[in-house]
Amino acid sequence: MKKIKIIAIAGSLRRDSYNRQLAIEAGKILGNQVDFELLDYSDVPLLNQDIEYPAPDAVKRVREAIQSADGVWFFSPEYNHFFPGVLKNLIDWLSRPISDSEPQVLRGKPAAVSGIALGMSGAVIAQDHLVSLISILNMKVMNQPRLAIPNAMQQTNQNGQLALASSATFLEKQAQEFLLFIKNK
């Protein structure tokens, strides 16, 4: 039996971002139940219709990764009550049709949304914006449970690495619910 494949997308490109670390933690929780891949999209250029066809190699690579996935799990911070521009740029590329005969790659994909932020909102406002966007793109969004972790600095160790305390059980619950959501799509 083929394992479920989940592509994780961190909304921040920073190597040690809290959301990247959260995605890695989710992958550890899921363990060998799934094929879990954290998407590297740092080389995806800004969307520009002058270079759209043929798509740059980096865009082709991320599209192929999404096409091969059974589900997409977004982990995003909140910048000024919104998700980061780099994530919007990636979604813009993924939302474009590949060709006249191939639709965009997000359509119908199950999606989960999580986030950790420095402030009190825990990225909830950014998540609402993100869910609005990916819903319009016809992704199948798992609206419950979502995970929004506030006060990121309180969930780190002395080295600044994520050390989930009370939020760990919520991440575990979301991970298991997302597996069920994908299986029942």
Side-chain angles (χ1 to χ4, degrees):
M1 181 182 212
K2 179 186 164 269
K3 280 187 181 178
I4 289 174
K5 182 174 183 181
I6 295 175
I7 296 291
I9 299 175
S12 171
L13 296 180
R14 186 169 64 89
R15 184 181 67 240
D16 290 327
S17 80
Y18 297 126
N19 283 280
R20 180 175 298 279
Q21 291 180 58
L22 187 62
I24 291 167
E25 287 301 311
K28 289 177 185 175
I29 288 168
L30 291 168
N32 62 6
Q33 296 179 80
V34 300
D35 287 328
F36 190 88
E37 177 185 338
L38 182 55
L39 185 69
D40 177 8
Y41 62 99
S42 59
D43 57 345
V44 171
L46 291 174
L47 179 63
N48 177 342
Q49 288 180 314
D50 290 339
I51 62 169
E52 187 173 6
Y53 297 106
D57 288 341
V59 173
K60 290 178 188 174
R61 179 183 51 76
V62 297
R63 282 178 175 163
E64 288 169 5
I66 298 298
Q67 281 179 314
S68 72
D70 298 302
V72 180
W73 195 344
F74 294 94
F75 297 83
S76 184
E78 185 168 294
Y79 296 170
N80 298 316
H81 296 297
F82 220 84
F83 55 90
V86 294
L87 180 55
K88 174 68 165 71
N89 183 65
L90 174 67
I91 293 170
D92 286 345
W93 273 111
L94 296 173
S95 73
R96 307 291 285 182
I98 296 171
S99 68
D100 289 340
S101 61
E102 296 175 276
Q104 55 101 340
V105 297
L106 297 173
R107 180 183 309 276
K109 291 285 181 187
V113 178
S114 298
I116 183 169
L118 294 173
M120 291 291 295
S121 78
V124 154
I125 299 168
Q127 286 182 13
D128 287 344
H129 292 297
L130 179 57
V131 166
S132 292
L133 175 61
I134 63 178
S135 294
I136 289 169
L137 298 175
N138 210 22
M139 292 189 84
K140 294 181 177 169
V141 180
M142 182 180 80
N143 285 303
Q144 291 182 352
R146 279 202 231 162
L147 180 61
I149 303 172
N151 304 314
M153 299 300 287
Q154 294 175 8
Q155 301 263 355
T156 59
N157 62 24
Q158 63 275 13
N159 299 323
Q161 296 297 306
L162 196 61
L164 293 177
S166 59
S167 298
T169 56
F170 296 106
L171 181 61
E172 291 167 7
K173 178 177 169 78
Q174 189 183 31
Q176 296 310 313
E177 289 291 329
F178 193 38
L179 278 180
L180 290 173
F181 188 77
I182 292 169
K183 288 176 184 176
N184 295 325
K185 67 175 183 160

mmCIF file of all heavy atoms in Angstrom, residues 54 76 101 117 152 168:
data_model
loop_
_atom_site.group_PDB
_atom_site.id
_atom_site.type_symbol
_atom_site.label_atom_id
_atom_site.label_comp_id
_atom_site.label_asym_id
_atom_site.label_seq_id
_atom_site.Cartn_x
_atom_site.Cartn_y
_atom_site.Cartn_z
ATOM 1 N N PRO A 54 7.917 29.216 -21.028
ATOM 2 C CA PRO A 54 7.848 28.082 -20.114
ATOM 3 C C PRO A 54 8.235 28.515 -18.708
ATOM 4 O O PRO A 54 9.027 29.435 -18.525
ATOM 5 C CB PRO A 54 8.875 27.094 -20.677
ATOM 6 C CG PRO A 54 9.875 27.955 -21.374
ATOM 7 C CD PRO A 54 9.105 29.147 -21.891
ATOM 8 N N SER A 76 2.524 28.888 8.734
ATOM 9 C CA SER A 76 2.833 30.277 8.396
ATOM 10 C C SER A 76 2.847 31.213 9.589
ATOM 11 O O SER A 76 1.969 31.148 10.452
ATOM 12 C CB SER A 76 1.821 30.801 7.375
ATOM 13 O OG SER A 76 2.174 32.109 6.989
ATOM 14 N N SER A 101 -3.905 22.600 -21.401
ATOM 15 C CA SER A 101 -4.554 21.331 -21.081
ATOM 16 C C SER A 101 -4.315 20.872 -19.640
ATOM 17 O O SER A 101 -4.897 19.881 -19.215
ATOM 18 C CB SER A 101 -4.071 20.244 -22.041
ATOM 19 O OG SER A 101 -2.672 20.075 -21.900
ATOM 20 N N ALA A 117 3.487 32.362 16.054
ATOM 21 C CA ALA A 117 3.844 33.771 15.887
ATOM 22 C C ALA A 117 4.343 34.343 17.206
ATOM 23 O O ALA A 117 4.070 33.805 18.282
ATOM 24 C CB ALA A 117 2.641 34.564 15.392
ATOM 25 N N ALA A 152 5.577 32.865 20.632
ATOM 26 C CA ALA A 152 6.570 31.870 20.220
ATOM 27 C C ALA A 152 7.762 31.790 21.160
ATOM 28 O O ALA A 152 8.283 30.701 21.414
ATOM 29 C CB ALA A 152 7.049 32.176 18.806
ATOM 30 N N ALA A 168 2.177 20.967 22.102
ATOM 31 C CA ALA A 168 2.556 19.697 21.473
ATOM 32 C C ALA A 168 1.346 18.788 21.250
ATOM 33 O O ALA A 168 1.203 18.189 20.179
ATOM 34 C CB ALA A 168 3.613 18.991 22.304
#
